[in-house]
């Protein structure tokens, strides 16, 4: 099993960090392929808790080489502070590799992210304010700065000046902000060249060679399927492709080399930021899911919006990612509800709809049609096998599997590495 993708099947925060960390001990490389430090992955190892934003979660597994692929946008100041934070805690970060083709998030991207959100007012996306959208916009607009540019001062200066010529007009004339001096940006960026130089590599060559030699490569997605700029709830999305195809473009590894695609699926649904969310609960149940599930953002500290499980979304994730497996997380959070509603289809303008509508207007009008399943009250956090789960918890998992279109191969019953029921091996 040389290459597998692990990605979010909903709107992010499904527990990808924990799942990646769980596999980290058995794989040779863990590769981030998109996004940046908008991600927030909490990993619990024994009594230690780590919050990772930009680094692949495999960095916590000693035998594993963490890689930041070309599809990621890298804020060098965040990268260095995350590395030094881990160094201080005794984590070996020396194996990290960064693609020279990855784009940089510069201070003007972060500024533009924040001011453009403010400018949108009530229509804002609710971004993380980390400069993600503006950095990807520059990449597509061919005025981005790449990691490799840090090592050629003259090219770096030309590129920063070219980018700022336009951006300073926007900042000053549209947003009434002070212009940003190119010299200052260049000086800051040049300061990252030395500390980062040892990490930069031709990651595409290296990963293809590794797969050809039978080594195991895990591609770790940030965000989730419905935050995908092509397949998500546009425009309330992030600016990259967390879906499975992103693993190919974001690393330079072809689809024929990927054998397995695992969707991380929360046993209920959460979302951070603005945008439609058919099963959102604005009542006590929603508050209870938030409290019991600890649903507060790792990156921005915002409360996550919470709702019941949505099988329409899970089916959609199976389809657009070609999922081979699900890893169902946070089943333990549902313990204690007498009955648990699950959304099986939508009602849109009086009609029953089984699949996610492609039209934004229809999705905004979608009302969940629920089936209610019996709950359980027994503590499940110590269960190690499927048979040890209470009958109703087993039935809940089986019902979700039938509705979602791919086998549930693992179940999370707590945040720790060992709080997992493995049904089918991923490797
Ligand atoms: P990610 O962004 O997909 O990596 O997910 P986050 O780390 O943002 O959010 C998931 C949260 O749920 C983290 O605090 C995890 O420690 C926690 N978590 C992961 N799996 C489980 C599980 O099975 N049960 C419980 N109770 N918590 C979990
Ligand atoms: P992980 O990897 C949940 C959301 C933001 C906002 C939208 C766009 O932890 O699952 P951006 O800053 O990316 O331009 O914001 O996307 N968002 C996330 N929501 N989990 C994440 O990452 C997210 N990364 C971005 O809240 O709605
Ligand atoms: Mg998260």
């Amino acid at each position: 099993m040389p290459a597998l993708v692990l990605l979010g099947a909903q709107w992010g925060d499904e527990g990808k960090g924990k799942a990646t960390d769980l596999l980290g001990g058995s794989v040779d490389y863990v590769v981030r392929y998109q996004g940046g430090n908008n991600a927030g992955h909490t990993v619990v190892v024994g009594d230690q808790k780590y919050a990772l934003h930009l680094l692949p979660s495999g960095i916590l597994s000693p035998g594993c080489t963490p890689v930041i692929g070309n599809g990621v946008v890298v804020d060098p100041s965040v990268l260095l502070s995350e590395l030094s934070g881990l160094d201080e805690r005794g984590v070996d970060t020396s194996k990290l590799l960064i693609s020279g083709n990855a784009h940089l998030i510069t201070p003007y991207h972060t500024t533009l992210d924040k001011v453009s959100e403010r400018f949108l007012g009530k229509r804002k996306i609710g971004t993380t304010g980390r400069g993600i959208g503006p950095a990807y916009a520059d990449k597509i607009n061919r005025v981005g700065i790449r990691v490799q540019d840090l090592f050629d001062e003259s090219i770096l200066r030309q590129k920063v000046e070219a980018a700022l010529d336009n951006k300073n007009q926007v900042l000053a004339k549209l947003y009434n902000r002070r212009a940003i001096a190119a010299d200052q940006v260049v000086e800051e960026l040049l300061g990252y060249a030395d500390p980062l130089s040892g990490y930069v590599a031709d990651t595409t060559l290296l990963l293809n060679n590794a797969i050809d030699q039978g080594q195991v490569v895990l591609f770790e997605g940030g965000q989730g399927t419905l935050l995908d700029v092509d397949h998500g709830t546009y425009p309330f999305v992030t600016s990259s492709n967390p879906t499975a195809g992103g693993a190919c473009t974001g690393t330079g590894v072809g689809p024929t080399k990927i054998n397995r695609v695992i969707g991380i699926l929360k046993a209920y649904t959460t979302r951070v930021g603005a945008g439609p969310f058919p099963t959102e609960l604005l009542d006590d149940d929603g508050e209870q899911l938030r409290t019991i599930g600890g649903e507060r953002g790792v990156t921005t500290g915002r409360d996550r919006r919470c709702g019941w499980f949505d099988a329409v979304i899970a089916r959609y994730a199976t389809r657009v990612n070609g999922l081979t497996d699900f890893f169902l997380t946070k089943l333990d959070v549902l313990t204690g509800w007498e009955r648990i509603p699950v959304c099986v289809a939508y009602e849109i303008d009086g009609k029953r709809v089984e699949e996610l509508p492609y039209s934004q207007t229809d999705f905004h009008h979608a009302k969940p049609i629920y089936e209610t399943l019996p709950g359980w009250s027994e503590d499940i956090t110590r269960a190690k096998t499927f048979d040890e789960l209470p009958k109703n918890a087993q039935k809940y998992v089986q019902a979700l599997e039938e509705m979602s279109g791919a086998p549930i191969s693992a179940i999370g019953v707590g945040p720790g590495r060992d709080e997992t029921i493995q049904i089918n091996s991923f490797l």
Side-chain angles (χ1 to χ4, degrees), residues 11-13 16 38-41 126-128 223 227 237-238 272-273 302:
W11 275 289
D13 302 325
K16 298 176 292 293
N38 48 348
H41 302 162
T127 73
T128 59
Q223 293 75 53
L227 287 173
V237 292
T238 192
V272 193
R302 287 180 289 181

Side-chain angles (χ1 to χ4, degrees), residues 18 22 381 383-384 413 415-421:
K18 172 195 156 162
L22 186 70
T381 55
K384 291 279 171 272
V413 290
R417 261 182 199 171
D418 51 348
E419 289 168 309
T420 306
I421 297 171

Side-chain angles (χ1 to χ4, degrees), residues 78-404:
V78 171
L79 177 63
L80 290 173
S81 79
E82 209 165 315
L83 284 170
S84 67
L86 288 179
D87 284 338
E88 277 164 27
R89 295 177 69 177
V91 176
D92 176 17
T93 57
S94 62
K95 284 197 189 159
L96 176 72
L97 298 173
I98 305 170
S99 165
N101 288 349
H103 280 246
L104 292 176
I105 299 177
T106 70
Y108 49 82
H109 293 125
T110 321
T111 302
L112 280 166
D113 193 358
K114 289 178 183 150
V115 293
S116 58
E117 276 282 275
R118 218 166 296 149
F119 202 70
L120 281 170
K122 274 201 306 215
R123 289 166 300 154
K124 71 178 179 187
I125 308 289
T127 73
T128 59
R130 302 298 193 262
I132 307 294
Y136 277 116
D138 276 4
K139 171 177 173 173
I140 299 301
N141 215 11
R142 294 161 298 187
V143 290
I145 316 286
R146 294 189 292 174
V147 168
Q148 59 180 286
D149 298 329
L150 294 175
F151 309 105
D152 186 327
E153 183 175 345
S154 139
I155 286 199
L156 179 68
R157 191 170 296 278
Q158 284 174 42
K159 289 189 175 178
V160 170
E161 280 171 1
L164 277 177
D165 267 354
N166 170 290
K167 284 180 183 37
N168 276 335
Q169 301 278 338
V170 173
L171 279 171
K173 295 189 179 146
L174 184 62
Y175 295 122
N176 205 18
R177 298 273 146 166
R178 229 178 289 143
I180 295 173
D183 280 349
Q184 212 175 316
V185 175
V186 171
E187 196 183 325
E188 178 181 333
L189 292 178
L190 284 175
Y192 300 124
D194 220 27
L196 291 184
S197 63
Y199 298 115
V200 181
D202 183 348
T203 52
T204 295
L205 179 64
L206 199 129
L207 291 171
N208 277 282
N209 284 345
I211 293 171
D212 292 345
Q213 286 159 17
Q215 290 189 289
V216 184
V217 176
L218 174 65
F219 300 99
E220 180 193 19
Q223 293 75 53
T225 300
L226 291 173
L227 287 173
D228 186 284
V229 69
D230 284 278
H231 301 291
T233 47
Y234 190 91
F236 301 100
V237 292
T238 192
S239 301
S240 66
N241 290 117
T243 48
C248 296
T249 50
T251 64
V253 171
T256 50
K257 292 197 172 163
I258 294 173
N259 333 57
R260 207 147 175 186
V261 185
I262 303 161
I264 313 302
L265 186 69
K266 211 179 272 195
Y268 49 98
T269 314
T270 62
R271 165 161 216 176
V272 193
F277 179 179
T279 63
E280 181 171 21
L281 293 165
L282 300 168
D283 57 8
D284 286 351
D285 280 326
E287 196 50 52
Q288 229 169 308
L289 284 173
R290 183 155 40 246
T291 308
I292 302 171
E295 298 297 353
R296 172 157 300 172
V298 188
T299 301
T300 58
R302 287 180 289 181
D303 275 355
R304 293 173 182 156
R305 300 158 65 191
C306 295
W308 298 124
F309 184 83
D310 185 335
V312 182
I313 282 174
R315 270 200 298 281
Y316 180 71
T318 305
R319 166 160 45 109
V320 297
N321 293 300
L323 294 182
T324 56
D325 306 76
F326 279 114
F327 188 143
L328 186 71
T329 60
K330 303 191 97 162
L331 185 64
D332 54 299
V333 174
L334 294 178
T335 299
W337 265 275
E338 216 166 292
R339 305 194 62 77
I340 310 172
V342 168
C343 168
V344 294
Y346 300 141
E347 189 198 305
I348 301 174
D349 300 332
K351 287 202 193 88
R352 183 183 170 106
V353 174
E354 305 282 338
E355 299 293 338
L356 199 90
Y358 70 85
S359 140
Q360 185 187 351
T361 310
D362 283 353
F363 194 57
H364 277 269
H365 292 174
K367 293 195 195 89
I369 298 174
Y370 286 115
E371 251 175 42
T372 304
L373 303 173
W376 61 93
S377 56
E378 302 90 329
D379 177 20
I380 61 168
T381 55
R382 279 187 204 88
K384 291 279 171 272
T385 64
F386 187 72
D387 292 341
E388 283 168 42
L389 289 174
K391 278 280 165 296
N392 283 348
Q394 293 185 11
K395 282 189 195 150
Y396 186 79
V397 173
Q398 281 161 344
L400 262 47
E401 181 172 274
E402 260 169 49
M403 293 170 192
S404 304

